[in-house]
mmCIF file of all heavy atoms in Angstrom:
data_model
loop_
_atom_site.group_PDB
_atom_site.id
_atom_site.type_symbol
_atom_site.label_atom_id
_atom_site.label_comp_id
_atom_site.label_asym_id
_atom_site.label_seq_id
_atom_site.Cartn_x
_atom_site.Cartn_y
_atom_site.Cartn_z
ATOM 1 N N MET J 62 9.555 -65.548 2.055
ATOM 2 C CA MET J 62 8.267 -65.433 1.413
ATOM 3 C C MET J 62 7.162 -64.773 2.336
ATOM 4 O O MET J 62 7.145 -65.046 3.557
ATOM 5 C CB MET J 62 7.702 -66.763 1.009
ATOM 6 C CG MET J 62 6.585 -66.912 0.270
ATOM 7 S SD MET J 62 6.069 -68.611 -0.160
ATOM 8 C CE MET J 62 4.562 -68.712 0.866
ATOM 9 N N GLN J 69 -3.168 -60.077 4.150
ATOM 10 C CA GLN J 69 -4.276 -59.571 4.846
ATOM 11 C C GLN J 69 -3.974 -58.152 5.337
ATOM 12 O O GLN J 69 -4.922 -57.228 5.305
ATOM 13 C CB GLN J 69 -4.619 -60.423 6.099
ATOM 14 C CG GLN J 69 -5.897 -60.154 6.708
ATOM 15 C CD GLN J 69 -6.240 -61.210 7.849
ATOM 16 O OE1 GLN J 69 -5.326 -61.709 8.545
ATOM 17 N NE2 GLN J 69 -7.493 -61.456 7.992
ATOM 18 N N ASN J 71 -1.852 -55.934 3.945
ATOM 19 C CA ASN J 71 -1.918 -55.105 2.870
ATOM 20 C C ASN J 71 -3.363 -54.773 2.466
ATOM 21 O O ASN J 71 -3.693 -53.722 1.999
ATOM 22 C CB ASN J 71 -1.243 -55.754 1.625
ATOM 23 C CG ASN J 71 0.261 -55.523 1.671
ATOM 24 O OD1 ASN J 71 0.709 -54.826 2.610
ATOM 25 N ND2 ASN J 71 0.936 -56.185 0.834
ATOM 26 N N GLN J 73 -6.091 -54.763 4.199
ATOM 27 C CA GLN J 73 -6.820 -53.893 5.124
ATOM 28 C C GLN J 73 -6.154 -52.480 5.185
ATOM 29 O O GLN J 73 -6.908 -51.542 5.566
ATOM 30 C CB GLN J 73 -6.768 -54.481 6.498
ATOM 31 C CG GLN J 73 -7.578 -55.679 6.713
ATOM 32 C CD GLN J 73 -7.533 -56.365 8.035
ATOM 33 O OE1 GLN J 73 -6.867 -55.940 8.946
ATOM 34 N NE2 GLN J 73 -8.277 -57.473 8.231
ATOM 35 N N GLN J 75 -5.278 -50.889 2.356
ATOM 36 C CA GLN J 75 -5.476 -50.197 1.049
ATOM 37 C C GLN J 75 -6.545 -49.038 1.185
ATOM 38 O O GLN J 75 -7.370 -49.212 2.149
ATOM 39 C CB GLN J 75 -5.918 -51.185 -0.045
ATOM 40 C CG GLN J 75 -7.234 -51.848 0.218
ATOM 41 C CD GLN J 75 -7.732 -52.774 -0.906
ATOM 42 O OE1 GLN J 75 -7.612 -52.417 -2.076
ATOM 43 N NE2 GLN J 75 -8.119 -53.956 -0.564
ATOM 44 N N THR J 76 -6.459 -48.046 0.401
ATOM 45 C CA THR J 76 -7.339 -46.969 0.574
ATOM 46 C C THR J 76 -8.703 -47.268 -0.024
ATOM 47 O O THR J 76 -8.927 -47.879 -1.115
ATOM 48 C CB THR J 76 -6.908 -45.831 -0.374
ATOM 49 O OG1 THR J 76 -5.524 -45.621 -0.114
ATOM 50 C CG2 THR J 76 -7.652 -44.449 0.020
ATOM 51 N N GLU J 82 -21.691 -37.494 2.969
ATOM 52 C CA GLU J 82 -23.084 -37.023 3.098
ATOM 53 C C GLU J 82 -23.791 -36.961 1.747
ATOM 54 O O GLU J 82 -24.894 -37.412 1.615
ATOM 55 C CB GLU J 82 -23.023 -35.528 3.604
ATOM 56 C CG GLU J 82 -24.328 -34.944 3.998
ATOM 57 C CD GLU J 82 -25.036 -35.602 5.190
ATOM 58 O OE1 GLU J 82 -24.318 -36.098 6.150
ATOM 59 O OE2 GLU J 82 -26.296 -35.595 5.262
ATOM 60 N N VAL J 92 -33.324 -44.784 -3.650
ATOM 61 C CA VAL J 92 -34.377 -45.608 -2.969
ATOM 62 C C VAL J 92 -35.689 -45.142 -3.307
ATOM 63 O O VAL J 92 -36.635 -45.854 -3.748
ATOM 64 C CB VAL J 92 -34.130 -45.587 -1.448
ATOM 65 C CG1 VAL J 92 -35.295 -46.066 -0.659
ATOM 66 C CG2 VAL J 92 -32.891 -46.412 -1.091
ATOM 67 N N LYS J 93 -35.877 -43.810 -3.153
ATOM 68 C CA LYS J 93 -37.267 -43.209 -3.509
ATOM 69 C C LYS J 93 -37.625 -43.302 -4.906
ATOM 70 O O LYS J 93 -38.726 -43.605 -5.314
ATOM 71 C CB LYS J 93 -37.285 -41.658 -3.110
ATOM 72 C CG LYS J 93 -36.856 -41.364 -1.672
ATOM 73 C CD LYS J 93 -37.981 -41.511 -0.735
ATOM 74 C CE LYS J 93 -37.485 -41.293 0.761
ATOM 75 N NZ LYS J 93 -38.342 -41.842 1.750
ATOM 76 N N GLU J 96 -38.937 -46.780 -5.695
ATOM 77 C CA GLU J 96 -40.302 -46.957 -5.251
ATOM 78 C C GLU J 96 -41.219 -46.275 -6.176
ATOM 79 O O GLU J 96 -42.334 -46.887 -6.396
ATOM 80 C CB GLU J 96 -40.426 -46.401 -3.784
ATOM 81 C CG GLU J 96 -39.711 -47.391 -2.688
ATOM 82 C CD GLU J 96 -39.655 -46.682 -1.386
ATOM 83 O OE1 GLU J 96 -39.898 -45.491 -1.267
ATOM 84 O OE2 GLU J 96 -39.363 -47.470 -0.413
ATOM 85 N N PHE J 158 -32.350 -61.784 -0.512
ATOM 86 C CA PHE J 158 -30.953 -61.439 -0.557
ATOM 87 C C PHE J 158 -30.345 -61.465 0.885
ATOM 88 O O PHE J 158 -29.183 -61.420 1.028
ATOM 89 C CB PHE J 158 -30.665 -59.995 -1.070
ATOM 90 C CG PHE J 158 -30.583 -59.973 -2.623
ATOM 91 C CD1 PHE J 158 -31.639 -60.108 -3.440
ATOM 92 C CD2 PHE J 158 -29.360 -59.933 -3.222
ATOM 93 C CE1 PHE J 158 -31.609 -60.200 -4.711
ATOM 94 C CE2 PHE J 158 -29.216 -59.977 -4.610
ATOM 95 C CZ PHE J 158 -30.389 -60.018 -5.409
ATOM 96 N N SER J 159 -31.195 -61.608 1.959
ATOM 97 C CA SER J 159 -30.739 -61.735 3.239
ATOM 98 C C SER J 159 -30.523 -63.143 3.674
ATOM 99 O O SER J 159 -30.295 -63.477 4.851
ATOM 100 C CB SER J 159 -31.538 -60.898 4.237
ATOM 101 O OG SER J 159 -32.900 -61.342 4.196
ATOM 102 N N ASN J 160 -30.838 -64.147 2.821
ATOM 103 C CA ASN J 160 -30.611 -65.517 3.131
ATOM 104 C C ASN J 160 -29.125 -65.749 3.251
ATOM 105 O O ASN J 160 -28.196 -65.069 2.753
ATOM 106 C CB ASN J 160 -31.119 -66.379 1.921
ATOM 107 C CG ASN J 160 -32.559 -66.662 2.164
ATOM 108 O OD1 ASN J 160 -33.164 -66.549 3.207
ATOM 109 N ND2 ASN J 160 -33.225 -67.244 1.120
ATOM 110 N N SER J 162 -25.670 -67.184 2.171
ATOM 111 C CA SER J 162 -25.179 -67.155 0.757
ATOM 112 C C SER J 162 -25.248 -68.528 0.038
ATOM 113 O O SER J 162 -25.483 -68.575 -1.144
ATOM 114 C CB SER J 162 -23.829 -66.596 0.642
ATOM 115 O OG SER J 162 -23.832 -65.296 1.199
ATOM 116 N N ASN J 163 -25.111 -69.587 0.854
ATOM 117 C CA ASN J 163 -25.134 -70.951 0.202
ATOM 118 C C ASN J 163 -26.587 -71.212 -0.355
ATOM 119 O O ASN J 163 -26.698 -71.632 -1.449
ATOM 120 C CB ASN J 163 -24.691 -71.982 1.233
ATOM 121 C CG ASN J 163 -24.045 -73.097 0.707
ATOM 122 O OD1 ASN J 163 -23.641 -73.073 -0.447
ATOM 123 N ND2 ASN J 163 -24.016 -74.226 1.508
ATOM 124 N N LYS J 239 -23.559 -66.415 -16.343
ATOM 125 C CA LYS J 239 -23.752 -66.371 -14.934
ATOM 126 C C LYS J 239 -24.038 -67.781 -14.272
ATOM 127 O O LYS J 239 -23.481 -68.197 -13.267
ATOM 128 C CB LYS J 239 -24.916 -65.463 -14.576
ATOM 129 C CG LYS J 239 -25.182 -65.174 -13.100
ATOM 130 C CD LYS J 239 -24.093 -64.243 -12.575
ATOM 131 C CE LYS J 239 -23.686 -64.576 -11.159
ATOM 132 N NZ LYS J 239 -22.592 -63.648 -10.740
ATOM 133 N N ASP J 247 -15.523 -75.676 -6.815
ATOM 134 C CA ASP J 247 -14.490 -75.087 -5.998
ATOM 135 C C ASP J 247 -13.134 -75.702 -6.161
ATOM 136 O O ASP J 247 -12.973 -76.878 -6.489
ATOM 137 C CB ASP J 247 -14.817 -75.201 -4.506
ATOM 138 C CG ASP J 247 -16.136 -74.384 -4.256
ATOM 139 O OD1 ASP J 247 -16.270 -73.361 -4.876
ATOM 140 O OD2 ASP J 247 -16.933 -74.768 -3.457
ATOM 141 N N GLU W 297 -35.161 -43.354 8.236
ATOM 142 C CA GLU W 297 -34.101 -42.768 7.468
ATOM 143 C C GLU W 297 -32.849 -42.420 8.332
ATOM 144 O O GLU W 297 -31.778 -42.604 7.893
ATOM 145 C CB GLU W 297 -34.544 -41.424 6.806
ATOM 146 C CG GLU W 297 -35.393 -41.805 5.497
ATOM 147 C CD GLU W 297 -36.145 -40.560 4.921
ATOM 148 O OE1 GLU W 297 -35.809 -39.348 5.340
ATOM 149 O OE2 GLU W 297 -36.893 -40.691 4.003
ATOM 150 N N LYS W 301 -29.289 -44.044 7.841
ATOM 151 C CA LYS W 301 -28.110 -43.176 7.607
ATOM 152 C C LYS W 301 -26.948 -43.715 8.494
ATOM 153 O O LYS W 301 -25.768 -43.826 8.032
ATOM 154 C CB LYS W 301 -28.414 -41.741 7.989
ATOM 155 C CG LYS W 301 -27.333 -40.780 7.525
ATOM 156 C CD LYS W 301 -27.654 -39.369 7.896
ATOM 157 C CE LYS W 301 -26.497 -38.377 7.473
ATOM 158 N NZ LYS W 301 -26.939 -37.067 7.650
ATOM 159 N N ARG W 313 -15.251 -52.266 -0.018
ATOM 160 C CA ARG W 313 -14.005 -52.962 -0.224
ATOM 161 C C ARG W 313 -14.364 -54.455 -0.603
ATOM 162 O O ARG W 313 -13.653 -54.961 -1.495
ATOM 163 C CB ARG W 313 -13.357 -53.073 1.285
ATOM 164 C CG ARG W 313 -11.839 -53.465 1.062
ATOM 165 C CD ARG W 313 -10.980 -52.864 2.102
ATOM 166 N NE ARG W 313 -11.483 -53.054 3.457
ATOM 167 C CZ ARG W 313 -10.907 -52.402 4.488
ATOM 168 N NH1 ARG W 313 -9.794 -51.694 4.353
ATOM 169 N NH2 ARG W 313 -11.358 -52.631 5.784
ATOM 170 N N TRP W 338 -32.282 -51.185 2.736
ATOM 171 C CA TRP W 338 -33.460 -50.368 2.963
ATOM 172 C C TRP W 338 -34.792 -51.144 2.821
ATOM 173 O O TRP W 338 -35.637 -51.077 3.657
ATOM 174 C CB TRP W 338 -33.507 -49.158 2.048
ATOM 175 C CG TRP W 338 -34.772 -48.320 2.010
ATOM 176 C CD1 TRP W 338 -35.828 -48.576 1.191
ATOM 177 C CD2 TRP W 338 -35.159 -47.260 2.823
ATOM 178 N NE1 TRP W 338 -36.824 -47.653 1.445
ATOM 179 C CE2 TRP W 338 -36.451 -46.857 2.536
ATOM 180 C CE3 TRP W 338 -34.482 -46.574 3.897
ATOM 181 C CZ2 TRP W 338 -37.003 -45.783 3.084
ATOM 182 C CZ3 TRP W 338 -35.076 -45.512 4.468
ATOM 183 C CH2 TRP W 338 -36.406 -45.128 4.063
ATOM 184 N N ASN W 360 -24.404 -61.621 -1.434
ATOM 185 C CA ASN W 360 -25.474 -62.127 -2.411
ATOM 186 C C ASN W 360 -25.660 -61.105 -3.527
ATOM 187 O O ASN W 360 -25.963 -61.648 -4.621
ATOM 188 C CB ASN W 360 -26.816 -62.309 -1.635
ATOM 189 C CG ASN W 360 -26.696 -63.476 -0.640
ATOM 190 O OD1 ASN W 360 -25.776 -64.230 -0.767
ATOM 191 N ND2 ASN W 360 -27.566 -63.497 0.268
ATOM 192 N N LEU W 363 -22.896 -61.971 -5.802
ATOM 193 C CA LEU W 363 -23.102 -63.211 -6.458
ATOM 194 C C LEU W 363 -24.054 -63.049 -7.622
ATOM 195 O O LEU W 363 -23.942 -63.743 -8.720
ATOM 196 C CB LEU W 363 -23.699 -64.253 -5.535
ATOM 197 C CG LEU W 363 -22.677 -64.993 -4.526
ATOM 198 C CD1 LEU W 363 -23.446 -65.828 -3.579
ATOM 199 C CD2 LEU W 363 -21.742 -65.846 -5.314
ATOM 200 N N GLU W 365 -24.609 -60.488 -9.482
ATOM 201 C CA GLU W 365 -24.240 -59.453 -10.496
ATOM 202 C C GLU W 365 -23.963 -60.138 -11.833
ATOM 203 O O GLU W 365 -23.249 -61.135 -11.944
ATOM 204 C CB GLU W 365 -22.970 -58.882 -9.976
ATOM 205 C CG GLU W 365 -22.720 -57.480 -10.536
ATOM 206 C CD GLU W 365 -21.993 -57.603 -11.879
ATOM 207 O OE1 GLU W 365 -21.157 -58.499 -12.040
ATOM 208 O OE2 GLU W 365 -22.497 -56.951 -12.804
ATOM 209 N N ALA W 385 -3.280 -44.821 -1.574
ATOM 210 C CA ALA W 385 -2.801 -43.450 -1.648
ATOM 211 C C ALA W 385 -1.852 -43.159 -0.453
ATOM 212 O O ALA W 385 -1.386 -42.064 -0.433
ATOM 213 C CB ALA W 385 -4.053 -42.577 -1.606
ATOM 214 N N MET W 396 2.034 -56.429 -4.961
ATOM 215 C CA MET W 396 1.456 -57.654 -4.327
ATOM 216 C C MET W 396 -0.087 -57.568 -4.285
ATOM 217 O O MET W 396 -0.715 -58.529 -4.411
ATOM 218 C CB MET W 396 2.045 -57.690 -2.896
ATOM 219 C CG MET W 396 1.655 -59.070 -2.160
ATOM 220 S SD MET W 396 1.679 -58.873 -0.449
ATOM 221 C CE MET W 396 3.475 -58.950 -0.063
ATOM 222 N N TYR W 401 -5.459 -59.201 -6.188
ATOM 223 C CA TYR W 401 -6.738 -59.035 -6.806
ATOM 224 C C TYR W 401 -6.873 -60.080 -7.882
ATOM 225 O O TYR W 401 -7.973 -60.680 -8.116
ATOM 226 C CB TYR W 401 -6.871 -57.577 -7.470
ATOM 227 C CG TYR W 401 -7.471 -56.594 -6.445
ATOM 228 C CD1 TYR W 401 -6.725 -55.686 -5.824
ATOM 229 C CD2 TYR W 401 -8.822 -56.541 -6.335
ATOM 230 C CE1 TYR W 401 -7.320 -54.719 -4.935
ATOM 231 C CE2 TYR W 401 -9.451 -55.610 -5.518
ATOM 232 C CZ TYR W 401 -8.721 -54.654 -4.721
ATOM 233 O OH TYR W 401 -9.253 -53.714 -4.035
ATOM 234 N N SER W 408 -13.656 -69.506 -7.334
ATOM 235 C CA SER W 408 -15.088 -69.634 -7.604
ATOM 236 C C SER W 408 -15.764 -68.601 -6.706
ATOM 237 O O SER W 408 -15.172 -68.031 -5.824
ATOM 238 C CB SER W 408 -15.566 -70.999 -7.141
ATOM 239 O OG SER W 408 -15.542 -71.071 -5.729
ATOM 240 N N GLU W 418 -12.556 -63.268 5.072
ATOM 241 C CA GLU W 418 -11.405 -63.664 5.806
ATOM 242 C C GLU W 418 -10.279 -62.455 5.851
ATOM 243 O O GLU W 418 -9.711 -62.096 6.821
ATOM 244 C CB GLU W 418 -10.749 -64.951 5.391
ATOM 245 C CG GLU W 418 -9.482 -65.306 5.958
ATOM 246 C CD GLU W 418 -9.616 -65.907 7.509
ATOM 247 O OE1 GLU W 418 -10.798 -66.082 7.788
ATOM 248 O OE2 GLU W 418 -8.667 -65.943 8.167
ATOM 249 N N LEU W 419 -10.160 -61.930 4.579
ATOM 250 C CA LEU W 419 -9.182 -60.736 4.525
ATOM 251 C C LEU W 419 -9.610 -59.521 5.301
ATOM 252 O O LEU W 419 -8.790 -58.896 5.750
ATOM 253 C CB LEU W 419 -9.041 -60.425 2.980
ATOM 254 C CG LEU W 419 -8.090 -61.299 2.140
ATOM 255 C CD1 LEU W 419 -8.347 -61.077 0.637
ATOM 256 C CD2 LEU W 419 -6.667 -61.117 2.506
ATOM 257 N N ILE W 430 -22.557 -66.142 7.684
ATOM 258 C CA ILE W 430 -22.907 -65.417 6.507
ATOM 259 C C ILE W 430 -23.143 -66.414 5.389
ATOM 260 O O ILE W 430 -24.104 -66.306 4.569
ATOM 261 C CB ILE W 430 -21.813 -64.400 6.160
ATOM 262 C CG1 ILE W 430 -21.808 -63.260 7.101
ATOM 263 C CG2 ILE W 430 -22.042 -63.840 4.732
ATOM 264 C CD1 ILE W 430 -20.480 -62.466 7.129
ATOM 265 N N MET W 431 -22.194 -67.350 5.183
ATOM 266 C CA MET W 431 -22.186 -68.273 4.036
ATOM 267 C C MET W 431 -23.263 -69.379 4.233
ATOM 268 O O MET W 431 -23.684 -70.030 3.150
ATOM 269 C CB MET W 431 -20.792 -68.778 3.840
ATOM 270 C CG MET W 431 -19.724 -67.797 3.547
ATOM 271 S SD MET W 431 -20.082 -66.521 2.247
ATOM 272 C CE MET W 431 -20.205 -67.567 0.934
ATOM 273 N N ARG W 441 -11.905 -75.064 4.546
ATOM 274 C CA ARG W 441 -11.997 -74.411 3.257
ATOM 275 C C ARG W 441 -11.030 -73.188 3.218
ATOM 276 O O ARG W 441 -10.203 -72.933 2.277
ATOM 277 C CB ARG W 441 -13.396 -73.909 2.949
ATOM 278 C CG ARG W 441 -13.663 -73.912 1.491
ATOM 279 C CD ARG W 441 -15.079 -74.285 1.342
ATOM 280 N NE ARG W 441 -15.628 -73.768 0.098
ATOM 281 C CZ ARG W 441 -16.795 -73.920 -0.373
ATOM 282 N NH1 ARG W 441 -17.614 -74.626 0.205
ATOM 283 N NH2 ARG W 441 -17.243 -73.427 -1.467
ATOM 284 N N GLU W 456 3.943 -69.184 -7.523
ATOM 285 C CA GLU W 456 4.576 -70.449 -7.334
ATOM 286 C C GLU W 456 3.823 -71.526 -8.075
ATOM 287 O O GLU W 456 2.689 -71.484 -8.346
ATOM 288 C CB GLU W 456 4.697 -70.800 -5.888
ATOM 289 C CG GLU W 456 5.756 -70.042 -5.125
ATOM 290 C CD GLU W 456 5.588 -70.156 -3.610
ATOM 291 O OE1 GLU W 456 4.909 -71.089 -3.135
ATOM 292 O OE2 GLU W 456 6.213 -69.251 -2.957
#
Side-chain angles (χ1 to χ4, degrees):
Chain J
M62 187 184 108
Q69 193 174 31
N71 277 356
Q73 290 176 359
Q75 64 178 315
T76 312
E82 190 67 33
V92 166
K93 304 278 177 201
E96 286 172 346
F158 276 78
S159 56
N160 273 345
S162 298
N163 213 14
K239 186 74 214 177
D247 296 325
Chain W
E297 284 176 4
K301 190 176 180 179
R313 196 148 51 187
W338 168 271
N360 292 342
L363 276 176
E365 200 278 316
M396 187 204 281
Y401 269 102
S408 70
E418 175 72 14
L419 281 166
I430 293 167
M431 302 307 298
R441 209 148 155 175
E456 284 170 16

